[in-house]
Amino acid sequence: MHRLVRRITISAASIVILFLFCFNLFFSSPFVRSWDEVDFVLAVDRYDLLAMQPHFPGYPYFIAGAKLVHEWATDPVQSLIIWNAMLALSAAVPMTLLARRYIGLVPALWATVGVQSLPYLWLMGSRPMSECAGIAVLWWYLWSVRWAADCPKSNLRLGTALLLFSVLMGIRLSYFPFGIALVLLLVYQFMSLTDSSNRVRRLVMAIAAAGGAQLIWIGGLIQSEGTLQGFWKLSLAFVSGHFSEWGGGVADSKVPLGTRFVTLIADHLIRDIWFSRSSALVVLYLLLLALMGFGMWKLRGSIRDASADRKFGKWLWICLAAYGVWVLLGQNIEKPRHIAPVAGPMLLVLYAAAFKTAALLTRASGDIRRRKWYMAAAIYLALAAVIAFQIAVGAHLLKLQAEQTPAVYQLNDYMEALDQPFVLYTWEETRVLRYLEAGYEHRKILTFDYFHSLSQTGANQRVFLTDHVLNGFLQQNANAGSQVIPVAKFVSDDLFDPVYSWITLYEWIGPNEYQMEKE
């Protein structure tokens, strides 16, 4: 590539990455939409696990970074978002380094642009949640594993991978399946050494160092809680609740496993994250895949990977598969963000393969060289179109997310305008209402019998409840629906609010001719 053209393309890719960062900050979300977001925002001002500021496991590195930003950014919401955006910007470095090994610097930069411009991942960076920070550190961790695999005897490289995995766990503990890459790295390094006594000693030291790295943030949490016993009880209570009551995993969900799988892959990973619900992106990605497939068929037998690249590729796919199984079985599949970490590495592989195919087609020789050159040009044009449309779609969604009032905020505005006295019974919405300092009585309720007794004591109060509360009551008493009338509905985009994008407000009208029978 000509030196001037190379500089222009590198500069252009760098400018686009910086544009994504700046646009992310400019249209950052001013809203605190969910229970989890409230937990993180409150933790910036006062870190208290017992008060769920934030909830277990504490996310210490995420909150610590936001606290540093909070020293000069007064709004805790913006502090979290700025920290997210900074980490997302830094992730361009490991993405580029990983892709560069396979396709060179210039294509690697543009492959990074493709991943960073993916609209859903872009949206995550503009909200006060830990996923964006976790995904950014995940990229650094994956790069460190690949870097350490190049030099099995290097303690510095291994130590970097161990430390970055510790940071990853201190930001998103749910990303633990990616630790498989670290296990595979240790096995690979163990097998690479010939001195049996030395490699056993090195393995033991590595395991001890890995445990010590994790104790850095775990020890900090124990200290913040006060005692090891208190921290242990808190952790057991949270883990028990996650897997048995509210976590949304397969154990506490009535959704069949097959339905969960289709929802997770087809609805969330492909429709919500990969295509961002854009028909144009669907068409462009299918066109790119078709062109790549045809190009690879033309080059059959010509594409070769280095053994080290194949080895790391296998490690990566094993980790992605393990994490996908964990999300399928142990996470709430109503929320697309849980499967988001899988999307980035998959797309980087896709972009790298597309650039590699186009480059090989360009260098092809023989009588059909011109036809192959046209095919390479078509792949490059398809890549450019995909990235351009992703930026356009992402910018639109980012602006919409920043401007559209969440359904729970609409609910609060409606209730504030009503004449009191009344009481509103909610589910998780109450956490946001407390954050908004709602000037009316609202309570979280789960049990119908308890609610029924409370509703009879407040004779002078109007009683309201949300659809999430009513749905829970209907599972406990089939006749609960006969006691309410719908009052209002509040709607926001379910891409931004997957669980509380639709809230129906009901008023309790009390006993009528229906006999309330306990189910």
Side-chain angles (χ1 to χ4, degrees), residues 423-464:
V423 59
L424 170 65
Y425 290 96
T426 68
W427 206 347
E428 291 186 355
E429 304 98 324
T430 195
R431 183 68 163 171
V432 179
L433 297 178
R434 288 175 186 168
Y435 172 78
L436 296 175
E437 299 180 346
Y440 51 86
E441 185 178 3
H442 58 90
R443 304 174 184 171
K444 183 181 179 183
I445 193 79
L446 296 176
T447 307
F448 175 75
D449 289 341
Y450 181 52
F451 163 80
H452 195 235
S453 63
L454 289 176
S455 66
Q456 293 176 329
T457 60
N460 297 323
Q461 281 185 322
R462 298 175 70 185
V463 177
F464 297 94

Side-chain angles (χ1 to χ4, degrees), residues 289-302:
L289 289 171
L291 291 171
M292 285 177 57
F294 188 69
M296 289 179 177
W297 179 77
K298 287 288 186 181
L299 293 167
R300 53 192 181 277
S302 301

